[in-house]
Amino acid sequence: MRNYTKIGKIEGARTELHDKLNLTGAEISVNTLDAGSCIPFVHAHKENEEIYFISSGKGKAVVDDEEITLSEGDWIRIAPAGKRQFFAGPDSPISYICIQVKAGSLGAYTADDAL
């Protein structure tokens, strides 16, 4: 039995990796919004925080009615209760990776968890 799972290049507007990589402790999605478009709903979570990495483009997030400008290279962490919605710029698509994990679940950091 292998101790890893590998997939190839990801394409499309949204790809969730939990099934593709057999994830057991996190949800990761790869997302692209076309210029001028947005996630069509506002949402929050019961337990999971989300960490976003903007891989290309420009746009904004609205978290609890606060507008946050986003551009390539930015990272943003949103607490579970934060009501969030993402928007691509009017003239720019935006691509991002979202990592979703249970808030407060990190038991050990990299060096402390190593054998």
Side-chain angles (χ1 to χ4, degrees):
M1 180 174 184
R2 298 185 314 198
N3 286 318
Y4 68 91
T5 305
K6 178 186 176 199
I7 61 172
K9 184 178 180 180
I10 295 172
E11 296 181 15
R14 179 173 172 83
T15 302
E16 293 180 351
L17 299 181
H18 63 276
D19 288 338
K20 295 180 182 300
L21 290 175
N22 301 313
L23 300 176
T24 64
E27 167 64 281
I28 301 172
S29 62
V30 180
N31 306 270
T32 299
L33 294 173
D34 293 331
S37 68
C38 68
I39 299 296
F41 54 87
V42 175
H43 77 285
H45 289 277
K46 296 175 188 171
E47 298 184 64
N48 295 339
E49 64 186 5
E50 290 182 325
I51 303 101
Y52 294 87
F53 172 68
I54 310 306
S55 54
S56 67
K58 294 180 181 180
K60 68 180 179 181
V62 177
V63 181
D64 296 332
D65 298 321
E66 183 178 340
E67 191 171 300
I68 303 145
T69 301
L70 300 170
S71 61
E72 183 175 334
D74 286 347
W75 288 87
I76 182 172
R77 180 247 180 208
I78 303 174
K83 292 178 176 70
R84 67 206 76 176
Q85 187 176 20
F86 282 77
F87 299 80
D91 300 318
S92 173
I94 190 169
S95 294
Y96 58 93
I97 297 167
C98 177
I99 304 164
Q100 187 179 137
V101 295
K102 184 176 179 180
S105 67
L106 185 60
Y109 296 90
T110 304
D112 293 336
D113 190 49
L115 295 176

PDB file of all heavy atoms in Angstrom, residues 64-89:
ATOM      1  N   ASP A  64     -18.220  39.496   6.940  1.00  0.00           N
ATOM      2  CA  ASP A  64     -18.997  40.247   7.933  1.00  0.00           C
ATOM      3  C   ASP A  64     -19.173  41.701   7.504  1.00  0.00           C
ATOM      4  O   ASP A  64     -18.973  42.630   8.281  1.00  0.00           O
ATOM      5  CB  ASP A  64     -18.329  40.171   9.310  1.00  0.00           C
ATOM      6  CG  ASP A  64     -18.289  38.757   9.865  1.00  0.00           C
ATOM      7  OD1 ASP A  64     -19.185  37.956   9.509  1.00  0.00           O
ATOM      8  OD2 ASP A  64     -17.374  38.449  10.636  1.00  0.00           O
ATOM      9  N   ASP A  65     -19.517  41.904   6.258  1.00  0.00           N
ATOM     10  CA  ASP A  65     -19.773  43.212   5.656  1.00  0.00           C
ATOM     11  C   ASP A  65     -18.523  44.074   5.480  1.00  0.00           C
ATOM     12  O   ASP A  65     -18.623  45.235   5.094  1.00  0.00           O
ATOM     13  CB  ASP A  65     -20.830  44.005   6.440  1.00  0.00           C
ATOM     14  CG  ASP A  65     -22.184  43.303   6.448  1.00  0.00           C
ATOM     15  OD1 ASP A  65     -22.556  42.726   5.393  1.00  0.00           O
ATOM     16  OD2 ASP A  65     -22.869  43.313   7.484  1.00  0.00           O
ATOM     17  N   GLU A  66     -17.334  43.538   5.752  1.00  0.00           N
ATOM     18  CA  GLU A  66     -16.092  44.269   5.507  1.00  0.00           C
ATOM     19  C   GLU A  66     -15.485  43.815   4.184  1.00  0.00           C
ATOM     20  O   GLU A  66     -15.293  42.621   3.959  1.00  0.00           O
ATOM     21  CB  GLU A  66     -15.089  44.026   6.638  1.00  0.00           C
ATOM     22  CG  GLU A  66     -13.817  44.816   6.472  1.00  0.00           C
ATOM     23  CD  GLU A  66     -12.841  44.624   7.624  1.00  0.00           C
ATOM     24  OE1 GLU A  66     -13.271  44.201   8.713  1.00  0.00           O
ATOM     25  OE2 GLU A  66     -11.654  44.909   7.417  1.00  0.00           O
ATOM     26  N   GLU A  67     -15.187  44.761   3.307  1.00  0.00           N
ATOM     27  CA  GLU A  67     -14.624  44.466   1.992  1.00  0.00           C
ATOM     28  C   GLU A  67     -13.102  44.403   2.076  1.00  0.00           C
ATOM     29  O   GLU A  67     -12.460  45.328   2.580  1.00  0.00           O
ATOM     30  CB  GLU A  67     -15.053  45.561   1.005  1.00  0.00           C
ATOM     31  CG  GLU A  67     -14.755  45.221  -0.430  1.00  0.00           C
ATOM     32  CD  GLU A  67     -15.380  46.226  -1.376  1.00  0.00           C
ATOM     33  OE1 GLU A  67     -16.622  46.369  -1.348  1.00  0.00           O
ATOM     34  OE2 GLU A  67     -14.613  46.862  -2.124  1.00  0.00           O
ATOM     35  N   ILE A  68     -12.536  43.300   1.578  1.00  0.00           N
ATOM     36  CA  ILE A  68     -11.092  43.072   1.638  1.00  0.00           C
ATOM     37  C   ILE A  68     -10.586  42.869   0.210  1.00  0.00           C
ATOM     38  O   ILE A  68     -10.996  41.932  -0.477  1.00  0.00           O
ATOM     39  CB  ILE A  68     -10.775  41.828   2.491  1.00  0.00           C
ATOM     40  CG1 ILE A  68     -11.357  41.998   3.892  1.00  0.00           C
ATOM     41  CG2 ILE A  68      -9.279  41.564   2.541  1.00  0.00           C
ATOM     42  CD1 ILE A  68     -11.855  40.733   4.503  1.00  0.00           C
ATOM     43  N   THR A  69      -9.702  43.733  -0.245  1.00  0.00           N
ATOM     44  CA  THR A  69      -9.126  43.633  -1.583  1.00  0.00           C
ATOM     45  C   THR A  69      -8.148  42.472  -1.621  1.00  0.00           C
ATOM     46  O   THR A  69      -7.333  42.295  -0.710  1.00  0.00           O
ATOM     47  CB  THR A  69      -8.407  44.949  -1.952  1.00  0.00           C
ATOM     48  OG1 THR A  69      -9.359  46.012  -1.885  1.00  0.00           O
ATOM     49  CG2 THR A  69      -7.821  44.876  -3.342  1.00  0.00           C
ATOM     50  N   LEU A  70      -8.208  41.678  -2.691  1.00  0.00           N
ATOM     51  CA  LEU A  70      -7.345  40.510  -2.846  1.00  0.00           C
ATOM     52  C   LEU A  70      -6.613  40.564  -4.177  1.00  0.00           C
ATOM     53  O   LEU A  70      -7.186  40.964  -5.189  1.00  0.00           O
ATOM     54  CB  LEU A  70      -8.175  39.227  -2.791  1.00  0.00           C
ATOM     55  CG  LEU A  70      -8.967  38.968  -1.506  1.00  0.00           C
ATOM     56  CD1 LEU A  70      -9.905  37.797  -1.698  1.00  0.00           C
ATOM     57  CD2 LEU A  70      -8.022  38.735  -0.341  1.00  0.00           C
ATOM     58  N   SER A  71      -5.347  40.138  -4.175  1.00  0.00           N
ATOM     59  CA  SER A  71      -4.585  40.024  -5.416  1.00  0.00           C
ATOM     60  C   SER A  71      -3.597  38.871  -5.299  1.00  0.00           C
ATOM     61  O   SER A  71      -3.365  38.326  -4.207  1.00  0.00           O
ATOM     62  CB  SER A  71      -3.877  41.340  -5.748  1.00  0.00           C
ATOM     63  OG  SER A  71      -2.981  41.690  -4.730  1.00  0.00           O
ATOM     64  N   GLU A  72      -3.025  38.506  -6.425  1.00  0.00           N
ATOM     65  CA  GLU A  72      -2.119  37.368  -6.499  1.00  0.00           C
ATOM     66  C   GLU A  72      -1.083  37.395  -5.387  1.00  0.00           C
ATOM     67  O   GLU A  72      -0.461  38.422  -5.122  1.00  0.00           O
ATOM     68  CB  GLU A  72      -1.413  37.374  -7.853  1.00  0.00           C
ATOM     69  CG  GLU A  72      -0.505  36.189  -8.069  1.00  0.00           C
ATOM     70  CD  GLU A  72       0.085  36.154  -9.454  1.00  0.00           C
ATOM     71  OE1 GLU A  72      -0.527  36.699 -10.398  1.00  0.00           O
ATOM     72  OE2 GLU A  72       1.183  35.578  -9.597  1.00  0.00           O
ATOM     73  N   GLY A  73      -0.928  36.262  -4.701  1.00  0.00           N
ATOM     74  CA  GLY A  73       0.037  36.126  -3.623  1.00  0.00           C
ATOM     75  C   GLY A  73      -0.534  36.344  -2.235  1.00  0.00           C
ATOM     76  O   GLY A  73       0.119  36.016  -1.248  1.00  0.00           O
ATOM     77  N   ASP A  74      -1.747  36.895  -2.132  1.00  0.00           N
ATOM     78  CA  ASP A  74      -2.356  37.143  -0.827  1.00  0.00           C
ATOM     79  C   ASP A  74      -2.836  35.842  -0.185  1.00  0.00           C
ATOM     80  O   ASP A  74      -3.249  34.897  -0.873  1.00  0.00           O
ATOM     81  CB  ASP A  74      -3.576  38.067  -0.951  1.00  0.00           C
ATOM     82  CG  ASP A  74      -3.219  39.506  -1.214  1.00  0.00           C
ATOM     83  OD1 ASP A  74      -2.038  39.882  -1.069  1.00  0.00           O
ATOM     84  OD2 ASP A  74      -4.138  40.275  -1.571  1.00  0.00           O
ATOM     85  N   TRP A  75      -2.789  35.829   1.147  1.00  0.00           N
ATOM     86  CA  TRP A  75      -3.362  34.776   1.975  1.00  0.00           C
ATOM     87  C   TRP A  75      -4.388  35.425   2.892  1.00  0.00           C
ATOM     88  O   TRP A  75      -4.183  36.540   3.360  1.00  0.00           O
ATOM     89  CB  TRP A  75      -2.291  34.136   2.860  1.00  0.00           C
ATOM     90  CG  TRP A  75      -1.311  33.273   2.138  1.00  0.00           C
ATOM     91  CD1 TRP A  75      -0.160  33.675   1.532  1.00  0.00           C
ATOM     92  CD2 TRP A  75      -1.381  31.865   1.962  1.00  0.00           C
ATOM     93  NE1 TRP A  75       0.498  32.594   0.997  1.00  0.00           N
ATOM     94  CE2 TRP A  75      -0.236  31.459   1.253  1.00  0.00           C
ATOM     95  CE3 TRP A  75      -2.305  30.884   2.360  1.00  0.00           C
ATOM     96  CZ2 TRP A  75       0.017  30.137   0.917  1.00  0.00           C
ATOM     97  CZ3 TRP A  75      -2.048  29.567   2.027  1.00  0.00           C
ATOM     98  CH2 TRP A  75      -0.901  29.196   1.313  1.00  0.00           C
ATOM     99  N   ILE A  76      -5.480  34.732   3.163  1.00  0.00           N
ATOM    100  CA  ILE A  76      -6.469  35.225   4.115  1.00  0.00           C
ATOM    101  C   ILE A  76      -7.056  34.029   4.860  1.00  0.00           C
ATOM    102  O   ILE A  76      -7.348  32.995   4.254  1.00  0.00           O
ATOM    103  CB  ILE A  76      -7.574  36.069   3.427  1.00  0.00           C
ATOM    104  CG1 ILE A  76      -8.565  36.615   4.450  1.00  0.00           C
ATOM    105  CG2 ILE A  76      -8.254  35.310   2.316  1.00  0.00           C
ATOM    106  CD1 ILE A  76      -9.577  37.607   3.882  1.00  0.00           C
ATOM    107  N   ARG A  77      -7.170  34.173   6.178  1.00  0.00           N
ATOM    108  CA  ARG A  77      -7.798  33.157   7.028  1.00  0.00           C
ATOM    109  C   ARG A  77      -9.116  33.723   7.527  1.00  0.00           C
ATOM    110  O   ARG A  77      -9.175  34.881   7.963  1.00  0.00           O
ATOM    111  CB  ARG A  77      -6.893  32.820   8.200  1.00  0.00           C
ATOM    112  CG  ARG A  77      -7.474  31.754   9.138  1.00  0.00           C
ATOM    113  CD  ARG A  77      -7.772  32.388  10.470  1.00  0.00           C
ATOM    114  NE  ARG A  77      -8.324  31.423  11.424  1.00  0.00           N
ATOM    115  CZ  ARG A  77      -9.125  31.771  12.391  1.00  0.00           C
ATOM    116  NH1 ARG A  77      -9.482  33.037  12.557  1.00  0.00           N
ATOM    117  NH2 ARG A  77      -9.607  30.877  13.229  1.00  0.00           N
ATOM    118  N   ILE A  78     -10.175  32.921   7.454  1.00  0.00           N
ATOM    119  CA  ILE A  78     -11.491  33.362   7.908  1.00  0.00           C
ATOM    120  C   ILE A  78     -11.989  32.384   8.967  1.00  0.00           C
ATOM    121  O   ILE A  78     -12.026  31.165   8.738  1.00  0.00           O
ATOM    122  CB  ILE A  78     -12.483  33.466   6.730  1.00  0.00           C
ATOM    123  CG1 ILE A  78     -11.928  34.420   5.664  1.00  0.00           C
ATOM    124  CG2 ILE A  78     -13.850  33.926   7.222  1.00  0.00           C
ATOM    125  CD1 ILE A  78     -12.751  34.492   4.407  1.00  0.00           C
ATOM    126  N   ALA A  79     -12.350  32.927  10.132  1.00  0.00           N
ATOM    127  CA  ALA A  79     -12.866  32.119  11.236  1.00  0.00           C
ATOM    128  C   ALA A  79     -14.185  31.467  10.832  1.00  0.00           C
ATOM    129  O   ALA A  79     -14.893  31.966   9.942  1.00  0.00           O
ATOM    130  CB  ALA A  79     -13.061  33.003  12.469  1.00  0.00           C
ATOM    131  N   PRO A  80     -14.538  30.369  11.477  1.00  0.00           N
ATOM    132  CA  PRO A  80     -15.773  29.679  11.099  1.00  0.00           C
ATOM    133  C   PRO A  80     -17.000  30.588  11.030  1.00  0.00           C
ATOM    134  O   PRO A  80     -17.770  30.506  10.072  1.00  0.00           O
ATOM    135  CB  PRO A  80     -15.940  28.622  12.196  1.00  0.00           C
ATOM    136  CG  PRO A  80     -14.543  28.340  12.649  1.00  0.00           C
ATOM    137  CD  PRO A  80     -13.830  29.670  12.562  1.00  0.00           C
ATOM    138  N   ALA A  81     -17.198  31.450  12.014  1.00  0.00           N
ATOM    139  CA  ALA A  81     -18.410  32.270  12.070  1.00  0.00           C
ATOM    140  C   ALA A  81     -18.426  33.422  11.075  1.00  0.00           C
ATOM    141  O   ALA A  81     -19.468  34.040  10.859  1.00  0.00           O
ATOM    142  CB  ALA A  81     -18.591  32.827  13.478  1.00  0.00           C
ATOM    143  N   GLY A  82     -17.297  33.722  10.450  1.00  0.00           N
ATOM    144  CA  GLY A  82     -17.244  34.832   9.501  1.00  0.00           C
ATOM    145  C   GLY A  82     -18.136  34.580   8.295  1.00  0.00           C
ATOM    146  O   GLY A  82     -17.983  33.580   7.595  1.00  0.00           O
ATOM    147  N   LYS A  83     -19.061  35.480   8.040  1.00  0.00           N
ATOM    148  CA  LYS A  83     -19.942  35.363   6.869  1.00  0.00           C
ATOM    149  C   LYS A  83     -19.176  35.894   5.664  1.00  0.00           C
ATOM    150  O   LYS A  83     -18.803  37.058   5.643  1.00  0.00           O
ATOM    151  CB  LYS A  83     -21.239  36.124   7.111  1.00  0.00           C
ATOM    152  CG  LYS A  83     -22.080  35.481   8.195  1.00  0.00           C
ATOM    153  CD  LYS A  83     -23.342  36.289   8.463  1.00  0.00           C
ATOM    154  CE  LYS A  83     -24.232  35.621   9.466  1.00  0.00           C
ATOM    155  NZ  LYS A  83     -23.708  35.607  10.817  1.00  0.00           N
ATOM    156  N   ARG A  84     -18.960  35.042   4.650  1.00  0.00           N
ATOM    157  CA  ARG A  84     -18.046  35.368   3.561  1.00  0.00           C
ATOM    158  C   ARG A  84     -18.659  35.179   2.184  1.00  0.00           C
ATOM    159  O   ARG A  84     -19.536  34.343   1.994  1.00  0.00           O
ATOM    160  CB  ARG A  84     -16.807  34.497   3.677  1.00  0.00           C
ATOM    161  CG  ARG A  84     -17.133  33.029   3.426  1.00  0.00           C
ATOM    162  CD  ARG A  84     -16.198  32.093   4.094  1.00  0.00           C
ATOM    163  NE  ARG A  84     -16.514  32.055   5.509  1.00  0.00           N
ATOM    164  CZ  ARG A  84     -15.946  31.279   6.398  1.00  0.00           C
ATOM    165  NH1 ARG A  84     -15.008  30.451   6.035  1.00  0.00           N
ATOM    166  NH2 ARG A  84     -16.296  31.301   7.652  1.00  0.00           N
ATOM    167  N   GLN A  85     -18.140  35.969   1.252  1.00  0.00           N
ATOM    168  CA  GLN A  85     -18.489  35.857  -0.161  1.00  0.00           C
ATOM    169  C   GLN A  85     -17.305  36.390  -0.960  1.00  0.00           C
ATOM    170  O   GLN A  85     -16.673  37.368  -0.559  1.00  0.00           O
ATOM    171  CB  GLN A  85     -19.758  36.644  -0.485  1.00  0.00           C
ATOM    172  CG  GLN A  85     -20.253  36.430  -1.895  1.00  0.00           C
ATOM    173  CD  GLN A  85     -21.583  37.151  -2.152  1.00  0.00           C
ATOM    174  OE1 GLN A  85     -21.959  38.078  -1.437  1.00  0.00           O
ATOM    175  NE2 GLN A  85     -22.271  36.733  -3.193  1.00  0.00           N
ATOM    176  N   PHE A  86     -16.996  35.746  -2.089  1.00  0.00           N
ATOM    177  CA  PHE A  86     -15.848  36.120  -2.915  1.00  0.00           C
ATOM    178  C   PHE A  86     -16.297  36.634  -4.274  1.00  0.00           C
ATOM    179  O   PHE A  86     -17.270  36.139  -4.848  1.00  0.00           O
ATOM    180  CB  PHE A  86     -14.910  34.922  -3.090  1.00  0.00           C
ATOM    181  CG  PHE A  86     -14.060  34.687  -1.881  1.00  0.00           C
ATOM    182  CD1 PHE A  86     -14.582  34.091  -0.746  1.00  0.00           C
ATOM    183  CD2 PHE A  86     -12.741  35.091  -1.861  1.00  0.00           C
ATOM    184  CE1 PHE A  86     -13.814  33.904   0.384  1.00  0.00           C
ATOM    185  CE2 PHE A  86     -11.956  34.915  -0.739  1.00  0.00           C
ATOM    186  CZ  PHE A  86     -12.496  34.317   0.380  1.00  0.00           C
ATOM    187  N   PHE A  87     -15.537  37.622  -4.779  1.00  0.00           N
ATOM    188  CA  PHE A  87     -15.846  38.292  -6.040  1.00  0.00           C
ATOM    189  C   PHE A  87     -14.582  38.411  -6.879  1.00  0.00           C
ATOM    190  O   PHE A  87     -13.522  38.777  -6.362  1.00  0.00           O
ATOM    191  CB  PHE A  87     -16.358  39.715  -5.780  1.00  0.00           C
ATOM    192  CG  PHE A  87     -17.616  39.791  -4.983  1.00  0.00           C
ATOM    193  CD1 PHE A  87     -17.584  39.663  -3.592  1.00  0.00           C
ATOM    194  CD2 PHE A  87     -18.842  39.980  -5.601  1.00  0.00           C
ATOM    195  CE1 PHE A  87     -18.747  39.736  -2.838  1.00  0.00           C
ATOM    196  CE2 PHE A  87     -20.009  40.053  -4.856  1.00  0.00           C
ATOM    197  CZ  PHE A  87     -19.968  39.933  -3.473  1.00  0.00           C
ATOM    198  N   ALA A  88     -14.698  38.151  -8.169  1.00  0.00           N
ATOM    199  CA  ALA A  88     -13.608  38.454  -9.102  1.00  0.00           C
ATOM    200  C   ALA A  88     -13.668  39.941  -9.406  1.00  0.00           C
ATOM    201  O   ALA A  88     -14.726  40.575  -9.283  1.00  0.00           O
ATOM    202  CB  ALA A  88     -13.765  37.647 -10.386  1.00  0.00           C
ATOM    203  N   GLY A  89     -12.536  40.505  -9.827  1.00  0.00           N
ATOM    204  CA  GLY A  89     -12.525  41.899 -10.228  1.00  0.00           C
ATOM    205  C   GLY A  89     -13.370  42.102 -11.481  1.00  0.00           C
ATOM    206  O   GLY A  89     -13.631  41.160 -12.229  1.00  0.00           O
TER     207      GLY A  89
END
